[in-house]
Amino acid sequence: MTDQRVTVELKNDLPITGVLISVDQFLNIRPDSITVLDEAKYSHILKACFSVQPLLFLDGGEKSFIRGYVLRYVQLPAV
C-alpha cells in the first residue's frame, strides 16, 4: 500500500493528502508530497498542531510525520 496517495483526517478535522511512505505498528504515518486541503479554512488548527509537543511534523519532505493517535481515519485509494 506504500507509494499510494492517501487522505487522512485528524481528530481535529484537519484533512491532509499525501503519498504514503511508511506506517508502523502504532499507525504513525510518514507521508511525502503533502498538501493540507483548504489550508485557509484550517489555518488556526495548523498553528495549534505545532505546539510544545507537536502532533504532526509537516515539511513536505522525508521528515513529515503524523502520530497515529491523532488520526480519525485514513482514506485509501480505490483498487
Coordinates of all heavy atoms in Angstrom, one line a residue:
M1 N 0.8 -1.2 0.0 CA 0.0 0.0 0.0 C 0.9 1.3 0.0 O 0.3 2.3 -0.1 CB -0.9 -0.1 1.2 CG -2.0 1.0 1.3 SD -3.0 1.3 -0.2 CE -4.1 0.1 -0.4
T2 N 2.2 1.1 0.2 CA 3.0 2.3 0.1 C 3.1 2.9 -1.3 O 2.7 2.2 -2.2 CB 4.4 2.0 0.7 OG1 5.0 1.0 -0.1 CG2 4.4 1.6 2.1
D3 N 3.6 4.1 -1.4 CA 3.7 4.8 -2.6 C 2.3 5.1 -3.3 O 2.2 5.2 -4.5 CB 4.6 4.1 -3.6 CG 6.0 4.0 -3.1 OD1 6.5 4.9 -2.4 OD2 6.7 3.0 -3.3
Q4 N 1.3 5.1 -2.5 CA -0.1 5.4 -3.0 C -0.5 6.7 -2.3 O -0.2 7.0 -1.2 CB -1.1 4.3 -2.6 CG -0.8 3.0 -3.2 CD -1.1 2.9 -4.6 OE1 -2.0 3.5 -5.1 NE2 -0.2 2.2 -5.4
R5 N -1.3 7.5 -3.0 CA -1.8 8.8 -2.5 C -3.0 8.5 -1.6 O -3.9 7.8 -2.0 CB -2.3 9.7 -3.6 CG -2.8 11.0 -3.1 CD -2.7 12.1 -4.1 NE -1.4 12.5 -4.4 CZ -0.6 13.4 -3.7 NH1 -1.1 13.9 -2.6 NH2 0.6 13.7 -4.1
V6 N -2.9 8.9 -0.3 CA -4.0 8.7 0.7 C -4.4 10.1 1.3 O -3.6 11.0 1.2 CB -3.5 7.8 1.8 CG1 -3.2 6.4 1.3 CG2 -2.3 8.3 2.6
T7 N -5.6 10.1 1.8 CA -6.1 11.2 2.5 C -6.3 10.8 4.0 O -7.0 9.8 4.2 CB -7.4 11.8 1.9 OG1 -7.1 12.2 0.6 CG2 -7.9 13.0 2.7
V8 N -5.8 11.6 4.9 CA -6.0 11.3 6.3 C -6.8 12.5 6.9 O -6.5 13.6 6.5 CB -4.7 11.0 7.1 CG1 -4.0 9.8 6.6 CG2 -3.8 12.2 7.1
E9 N -7.7 12.2 7.8 CA -8.3 13.2 8.6 C -7.9 13.1 10.0 O -8.0 12.0 10.6 CB -9.8 13.2 8.4 CG -10.5 14.3 9.2 CD -12.0 14.3 9.0 OE1 -12.5 14.2 7.8 OE2 -12.7 14.5 9.9
L10 N -7.5 14.2 10.6 CA -7.1 14.1 12.0 C -8.3 14.3 12.9 O -9.3 14.7 12.5 CB -6.0 15.2 12.3 CG -4.8 15.2 11.3 CD1 -3.8 16.3 11.8 CD2 -4.2 13.9 11.3
K11 N -8.1 14.0 14.2 CA -9.2 14.2 15.1 C -9.7 15.6 15.3 O -10.8 15.9 15.7 CB -8.8 13.6 16.5 CG -8.7 12.1 16.5 CD -8.3 11.6 17.8 CE -8.1 10.1 17.8 NZ -7.6 9.6 19.1
N12 N -8.8 16.6 14.9 CA -9.2 18.0 14.9 C -9.8 18.5 13.6 O -9.9 19.6 13.3 CB -8.0 18.9 15.3 CG -6.9 18.8 14.4 OD1 -7.0 18.2 13.3 ND2 -5.8 19.4 14.7
D13 N -10.3 17.5 12.8 CA -10.9 17.8 11.5 C -10.0 18.2 10.4 O -10.5 18.6 9.3 CB -12.1 18.8 11.6 CG -13.2 18.3 12.5 OD1 -13.4 17.1 12.5 OD2 -13.8 19.1 13.2
L14 N -8.7 18.2 10.5 CA -7.8 18.7 9.5 C -7.5 17.6 8.5 O -7.0 16.5 8.8 CB -6.5 19.1 10.2 CG -5.4 19.6 9.2 CD1 -5.8 20.9 8.6 CD2 -4.1 19.8 10.0
P15 N -7.9 17.8 7.2 CA -7.7 16.8 6.2 C -6.3 17.0 5.5 O -6.0 18.1 5.1 CB -8.8 16.9 5.2 CG -9.2 18.4 5.4 CD -8.9 18.8 6.8
I16 N -5.5 16.0 5.4 CA -4.2 16.0 4.7 C -4.1 15.0 3.7 O -4.5 13.8 3.9 CB -3.1 15.8 5.8 CG1 -3.2 16.9 6.9 CG2 -1.7 15.8 5.1 CD1 -2.3 16.7 8.0
T17 N -3.6 15.3 2.5 CA -3.4 14.4 1.4 C -1.9 14.3 1.2 O -1.2 15.3 1.2 CB -4.1 14.8 0.2 OG1 -5.5 14.9 0.4 CG2 -3.9 13.8 -1.0
G18 N -1.4 13.0 0.9 CA 0.0 12.8 0.6 C 0.2 11.4 0.1 O -0.6 10.6 0.1
V19 N 1.5 11.2 -0.3 CA 1.9 9.8 -0.8 C 2.4 9.1 0.5 O 3.3 9.6 1.2 CB 3.0 10.0 -1.8 CG1 3.5 8.6 -2.3 CG2 2.5 10.7 -3.0
L20 N 1.8 7.9 0.7 CA 2.2 7.1 1.9 C 3.6 6.5 1.7 O 3.8 5.7 0.8 CB 1.1 6.0 2.1 CG 1.3 5.2 3.3 CD1 1.2 6.0 4.6 CD2 0.3 4.0 3.3
I21 N 4.5 6.8 2.6 CA 5.8 6.3 2.5 C 5.9 5.0 3.4 O 6.4 4.0 3.0 CB 6.9 7.3 2.9 CG1 6.8 8.5 2.0 CG2 8.3 6.7 3.0 CD1 7.1 8.2 0.5
S22 N 5.5 5.2 4.7 CA 5.5 4.1 5.6 C 4.5 4.2 6.7 O 4.1 5.4 7.0 CB 6.9 3.9 6.2 OG 7.2 5.0 7.0
V23 N 4.2 3.1 7.4 CA 3.3 3.1 8.5 C 3.9 2.1 9.5 O 4.4 1.0 9.1 CB 1.9 2.6 8.1 CG1 1.0 2.6 9.3 CG2 1.3 3.5 7.1
D24 N 3.9 2.4 10.8 CA 4.4 1.5 11.8 C 3.2 0.9 12.6 O 2.1 1.1 12.3 CB 5.4 2.1 12.7 CG 4.8 3.2 13.6 OD1 3.6 3.3 13.7 OD2 5.6 3.9 14.2
Q25 N 3.6 0.0 13.6 CA 2.6 -0.7 14.3 C 1.7 0.2 15.2 O 0.6 -0.2 15.6 CB 3.2 -1.8 15.2 CG 4.0 -1.2 16.4 CD 5.5 -1.0 16.1 OE1 5.8 -0.8 14.9 NE2 6.3 -1.0 17.1
F26 N 2.1 1.4 15.4 CA 1.2 2.4 16.2 C 0.4 3.3 15.3 O -0.2 4.2 15.7 CB 2.1 3.2 17.1 CG 3.0 2.4 18.0 CD1 4.3 2.3 17.8 CD2 2.4 1.8 19.1 CE1 5.1 1.5 18.7 CE2 3.1 1.0 19.9 CZ 4.5 0.9 19.7
L27 N 0.4 3.0 14.0 CA -0.3 3.8 12.9 C 0.3 5.2 12.7 O -0.4 6.1 12.3 CB -1.8 3.8 13.2 CG -2.7 4.1 12.0 CD1 -2.5 3.0 11.0 CD2 -4.1 4.2 12.4
N28 N 1.6 5.3 13.1 CA 2.3 6.6 12.8 C 2.6 6.5 11.3 O 3.0 5.5 10.8 CB 3.6 6.6 13.6 CG 3.4 6.7 15.1 OD1 2.5 7.4 15.5 ND2 4.2 6.1 15.8
I29 N 2.3 7.6 10.7 CA 2.4 7.7 9.2 C 3.5 8.6 8.8 O 3.6 9.7 9.3 CB 1.0 8.1 8.6 CG1 0.0 7.1 8.9 CG2 1.1 8.4 7.1 CD1 -1.4 7.5 8.4
R30 N 4.2 8.2 7.7 CA 5.2 9.1 7.1 C 4.7 9.4 5.7 O 4.9 8.5 4.8 CB 6.6 8.4 7.1 CG 7.1 8.1 8.5 CD 8.5 8.1 8.6 NE 9.1 9.1 7.8 CZ 10.4 9.3 7.7 NH1 11.2 8.5 8.4 NH2 10.9 10.2 7.0
P31 N 4.2 10.5 5.5 CA 3.7 10.9 4.1 C 4.8 11.8 3.4 O 5.7 12.3 4.0 CB 2.5 11.8 4.4 CG 2.8 12.4 5.7 CD 3.7 11.5 6.5
D32 N 4.7 11.8 2.1 CA 5.5 12.7 1.3 C 4.6 13.5 0.3 O 3.5 13.1 0.1 CB 6.5 11.8 0.5 CG 7.6 12.6 -0.1 OD1 7.8 13.8 0.3 OD2 8.3 12.1 -1.0
S33 N 5.1 14.6 -0.2 CA 4.3 15.4 -1.1 C 2.9 15.7 -0.5 O 1.9 15.5 -1.1 CB 4.1 14.7 -2.5 OG 5.4 14.4 -3.0
I34 N 2.9 16.3 0.7 CA 1.7 16.5 1.4 C 1.1 17.8 1.0 O 1.8 18.8 0.6 CB 1.9 16.5 2.9 CG1 3.0 17.5 3.3 CG2 2.3 15.1 3.4 CD1 3.0 17.8 4.7
T35 N -0.2 17.9 1.1 CA -1.0 19.1 1.0 C -2.1 19.1 2.0 O -2.7 18.1 2.3 CB -1.6 19.2 -0.4 OG1 -2.4 18.1 -0.7 CG2 -0.6 19.4 -1.5
V36 N -2.3 20.2 2.6 CA -3.4 20.4 3.5 C -4.6 20.9 2.7 O -4.5 21.9 2.1 CB -3.1 21.4 4.7 CG1 -4.3 21.6 5.6 CG2 -1.9 20.9 5.5
L37 N -5.7 20.2 2.8 CA -6.9 20.5 2.0 C -7.5 21.7 2.6 O -7.7 21.8 3.8 CB -7.9 19.4 1.9 CG -7.3 18.1 1.3 CD1 -8.3 17.0 1.4 CD2 -6.8 18.3 -0.1
D38 N -7.8 22.8 1.9 CA -8.4 24.0 2.3 C -7.6 24.6 3.5 O -8.2 24.8 4.6 CB -9.9 23.7 2.7 CG -10.7 25.0 2.7 OD1 -10.2 26.1 2.3 OD2 -11.9 24.9 3.0
E39 N -6.4 24.9 3.2 CA -5.5 25.5 4.2 C -6.0 26.8 4.8 O -5.8 27.0 6.0 CB -4.1 25.7 3.6 CG -3.0 25.9 4.6 CD -1.6 25.9 4.0 OE1 -1.4 25.2 3.0 OE2 -0.8 26.6 4.6
A40 N -6.6 27.6 4.1 CA -7.1 28.9 4.6 C -8.2 28.6 5.7 O -8.3 29.3 6.7 CB -7.7 29.7 3.5
K41 N -9.0 27.6 5.4 CA -10.1 27.3 6.4 C -9.6 26.8 7.7 O -10.1 27.0 8.8 CB -11.1 26.3 5.8 CG -12.2 25.9 6.7 CD -13.1 24.9 6.0 CE -14.2 24.4 6.9 NZ -15.1 23.4 6.2
Y42 N -8.4 26.0 7.7 CA -7.9 25.4 8.8 C -6.6 26.0 9.3 O -5.8 25.4 10.0 CB -7.6 23.9 8.5 CG -8.9 23.1 8.2 CD1 -9.2 22.8 6.9 CD2 -9.8 22.8 9.2 CE1 -10.4 22.1 6.6 CE2 -10.9 22.1 9.0 CZ -11.2 21.7 7.7 OH -12.4 21.1 7.4
S43 N -6.4 27.3 9.0 CA -5.1 27.9 9.4 C -4.9 27.9 11.0 O -3.8 27.7 11.5 CB -5.0 29.3 8.9 OG -6.0 30.1 9.4
H44 N -6.0 28.1 11.7 CA -5.9 28.2 13.2 C -5.5 26.8 13.7 O -4.8 26.7 14.7 CB -7.2 28.6 13.8 CG -8.4 27.8 13.5 ND1 -9.0 27.7 12.2 CD2 -9.1 26.9 14.2 CE1 -10.0 26.8 12.2 NE2 -10.1 26.3 13.5
I45 N -6.0 25.7 13.1 CA -5.7 24.4 13.5 C -4.2 24.0 13.2 O -3.5 23.4 14.0 CB -6.6 23.3 12.9 CG1 -8.1 23.6 13.4 CG2 -6.2 21.9 13.2 CD1 -9.1 22.7 12.7
L46 N -3.7 24.5 12.1 CA -2.4 24.2 11.7 C -1.4 24.9 12.7 O -0.4 24.3 13.1 CB -2.1 24.8 10.3 CG -2.5 23.9 9.1 CD1 -2.3 24.7 7.8 CD2 -1.8 22.6 9.1
K47 N -1.7 26.0 13.2 CA -0.9 26.7 14.2 C -0.9 25.9 15.5 O 0.1 25.8 16.1 CB -1.4 28.1 14.5 CG -1.1 29.0 13.3 CD -1.7 30.4 13.5 CE -1.6 31.3 12.3 NZ -2.3 32.5 12.4
A48 N -2.0 25.3 15.9 CA -2.1 24.6 17.1 C -1.4 23.2 17.0 O -0.9 22.7 18.0 CB -3.6 24.3 17.5
C49 N -1.2 22.7 15.8 CA -0.6 21.4 15.7 C 0.9 21.5 16.0 O 1.6 20.5 16.2 CB -0.8 20.9 14.3 SG -2.4 20.3 14.0
F50 N 1.5 22.7 15.9 CA 2.9 22.9 16.1 C 3.2 23.5 17.5 O 3.9 24.5 17.6 CB 3.5 23.8 15.0 CG 3.4 23.1 13.6 CD1 2.3 23.5 12.8 CD2 4.2 22.1 13.2 CE1 2.2 22.9 11.6 CE2 4.1 21.5 12.0 CZ 3.1 21.9 11.2
S51 N 2.6 22.9 18.5 CA 2.8 23.4 19.9 C 4.0 22.8 20.5 O 4.9 22.3 19.8 CB 1.5 23.1 20.7 OG 1.4 21.7 20.7
V52 N 4.1 22.8 21.8 CA 5.3 22.3 22.5 C 5.5 20.8 22.2 O 6.7 20.4 21.9 CB 5.1 22.4 24.0 CG1 6.3 21.8 24.8 CG2 4.9 23.9 24.4
Q53 N 4.5 20.0 22.2 CA 4.6 18.6 21.7 C 3.9 18.4 20.4 O 2.7 18.1 20.4 CB 4.1 17.6 22.8 CG 5.0 17.5 24.0 CD 4.4 16.4 24.9 OE1 3.3 16.4 25.2 NE2 5.3 15.6 25.3
P54 N 4.5 18.6 19.3 CA 3.8 18.5 18.0 C 3.1 17.2 17.8 O 3.7 16.1 18.1 CB 4.9 18.8 17.0 CG 6.1 19.3 17.8 CD 5.9 18.8 19.2
L55 N 1.9 17.2 17.2 CA 1.2 16.0 16.8 C 1.6 15.6 15.4 O 1.4 14.5 15.1 CB -0.3 16.3 16.9 CG -0.8 16.8 18.2 CD1 -2.3 17.1 18.1 CD2 -0.5 15.8 19.3
L56 N 2.1 16.5 14.7 CA 2.5 16.2 13.3 C 3.6 17.2 12.9 O 3.7 18.3 13.4 CB 1.3 16.3 12.3 CG 0.6 17.6 12.2 CD1 0.4 18.0 10.8 CD2 -0.8 17.3 12.9
F57 N 4.5 16.6 12.0 CA 5.6 17.4 11.5 C 5.4 17.4 10.0 O 5.5 16.4 9.4 CB 6.9 16.8 11.9 CG 7.1 16.5 13.3 CD1 6.7 15.3 13.9 CD2 7.6 17.5 14.1 CE1 6.9 15.1 15.3 CE2 7.8 17.3 15.5 CZ 7.4 16.2 16.1
L58 N 5.1 18.6 9.5 CA 4.8 18.7 8.0 C 5.8 19.6 7.4 O 5.7 20.8 7.5 CB 3.4 19.2 7.8 CG 2.3 18.4 8.4 CD1 0.9 19.1 8.2 CD2 2.2 17.0 7.9
D59 N 6.8 19.0 6.7 CA 7.7 19.9 6.0 C 7.7 19.5 4.5 O 8.4 20.1 3.7 CB 9.1 19.8 6.6 CG 9.8 18.4 6.3 OD1 9.1 17.5 5.9 OD2 11.0 18.3 6.7
G60 N 6.9 18.5 4.1 CA 6.8 18.1 2.7 C 7.9 17.2 2.3 O 7.9 16.8 1.1
G61 N 8.8 16.9 3.1 CA 9.9 16.1 2.7 C 10.0 14.8 3.6 O 9.0 14.3 4.1
E62 N 11.2 14.2 3.7 CA 11.4 13.0 4.4 C 11.0 13.1 5.9 O 10.7 12.1 6.5 CB 12.8 12.5 4.3 CG 13.2 12.0 2.9 CD 14.6 11.4 2.9 OE1 15.1 11.1 4.0 OE2 15.1 11.2 1.8
K63 N 11.0 14.3 6.5 CA 10.8 14.4 7.9 C 9.3 14.5 8.2 O 9.0 14.7 9.4 CB 11.6 15.6 8.4 CG 13.0 15.4 8.4 CD 13.8 16.6 8.9 CE 15.3 16.3 8.8 NZ 16.0 17.5 9.2
S64 N 8.4 14.5 7.3 CA 7.0 14.6 7.6 C 6.6 13.4 8.3 O 7.0 12.3 8.0 CB 6.2 14.7 6.3 OG 6.5 15.9 5.6
F65 N 5.7 13.6 9.4 CA 5.4 12.5 10.3 C 4.1 12.9 10.9 O 3.9 14.0 11.4 CB 6.5 12.4 11.3 CG 6.3 11.3 12.3 CD1 6.6 10.0 12.0 CD2 5.8 11.6 13.6 CE1 6.4 9.0 12.9 CE2 5.6 10.6 14.5 CZ 5.9 9.3 14.2
I66 N 3.1 11.9 11.0 CA 1.9 12.1 11.7 C 1.7 11.0 12.7 O 1.8 9.8 12.4 CB 0.7 12.1 10.7 CG1 0.8 13.1 9.6 CG2 -0.6 12.3 11.4 CD1 -0.2 13.0 8.5
R67 N 1.5 11.4 14.0 CA 1.4 10.4 15.1 C 0.0 9.7 14.9 O -1.0 10.3 14.6 CB 1.4 11.1 16.4 CG 2.8 11.7 16.7 CD 2.9 12.1 18.1 NE 4.1 12.8 18.4 CZ 5.3 12.2 18.7 NH1 5.3 10.8 18.8 NH2 6.3 12.8 19.0
G68 N 0.0 8.4 15.1 CA -1.2 7.6 14.9 C -2.3 7.9 15.8 O -3.5 7.8 15.4
Y69 N -2.1 8.4 17.0 CA -3.2 8.6 17.9 C -4.0 9.9 17.6 O -5.0 10.1 18.2 CB -2.7 8.7 19.4 CG -1.8 9.8 19.8 CD1 -2.4 11.1 20.2 CD2 -0.4 9.7 19.7 CE1 -1.5 12.1 20.5 CE2 0.4 10.8 20.1 CZ -0.2 12.0 20.5 OH 0.6 13.0 20.8
V70 N -3.5 10.7 16.6 CA -4.3 11.9 16.2 C -5.1 11.6 15.0 O -5.9 12.5 14.5 CB -3.4 13.1 16.0 CG1 -2.7 13.4 17.3 CG2 -2.5 12.9 14.9
L71 N -5.1 10.4 14.4 CA -5.8 10.1 13.2 C -7.3 9.7 13.5 O -7.5 9.0 14.5 CB -5.2 8.9 12.5 CG -3.8 9.1 11.9 CD1 -3.3 7.8 11.3 CD2 -3.8 10.2 10.9
R72 N -8.2 10.3 12.7 CA -9.6 9.8 12.8 C -9.8 8.7 11.8 O -10.4 7.7 12.1 CB -10.5 11.0 12.5 CG -12.0 10.6 12.5 CD -12.9 11.7 12.3 NE -12.8 12.6 13.5 CZ -13.0 13.9 13.5 NH1 -13.3 14.5 12.4 NH2 -13.0 14.6 14.6
Y73 N -9.4 8.9 10.6 CA -9.5 7.9 9.6 C -8.4 8.1 8.5 O -7.9 9.2 8.3 CB -10.9 7.8 9.0 CG -11.3 8.9 8.1 CD1 -11.0 8.9 6.7 CD2 -12.0 10.0 8.6 CE1 -11.4 9.9 5.9 CE2 -12.4 11.0 7.8 CZ -12.1 11.0 6.4 OH -12.5 12.0 5.6
V74 N -8.2 7.0 7.7 CA -7.3 7.1 6.5 C -8.1 6.6 5.4 O -8.7 5.5 5.4 CB -6.1 6.1 6.7 CG1 -5.2 6.1 5.5 CG2 -5.3 6.5 8.0
Q75 N -8.2 7.4 4.3 CA -8.9 7.1 3.1 C -8.0 6.5 2.1 O -7.1 7.2 1.6 CB -9.6 8.3 2.6 CG -10.5 8.1 1.4 CD -11.2 9.3 0.9 OE1 -11.1 10.4 1.5 NE2 -11.9 9.2 -0.2
L76 N -8.1 5.2 1.8 CA -7.2 4.5 0.9 C -7.7 4.7 -0.5 O -8.9 4.9 -0.8 CB -7.1 3.0 1.3 CG -6.7 2.8 2.7 CD1 -6.8 1.3 3.0 CD2 -5.3 3.2 2.9
P77 N -6.8 4.6 -1.5 CA -7.2 4.7 -2.9 C -8.1 3.5 -3.3 O -7.9 2.4 -2.8 CB -5.9 4.8 -3.7 CG -4.9 4.1 -2.8 CD -5.4 4.4 -1.4
A78 N -8.9 3.7 -4.3 CA -9.8 2.7 -4.8 C -8.9 1.7 -5.6 O -7.9 2.1 -6.2 CB -10.8 3.2 -5.7
V79 N -9.2 0.4 -5.5 CA -8.4 -0.6 -6.2 C -8.9 -0.9 -7.6 O -10.0 -0.8 -7.9 CB -8.4 -1.9 -5.4 CG1 -7.3 -2.8 -5.8 CG2 -8.4 -1.7 -3.9

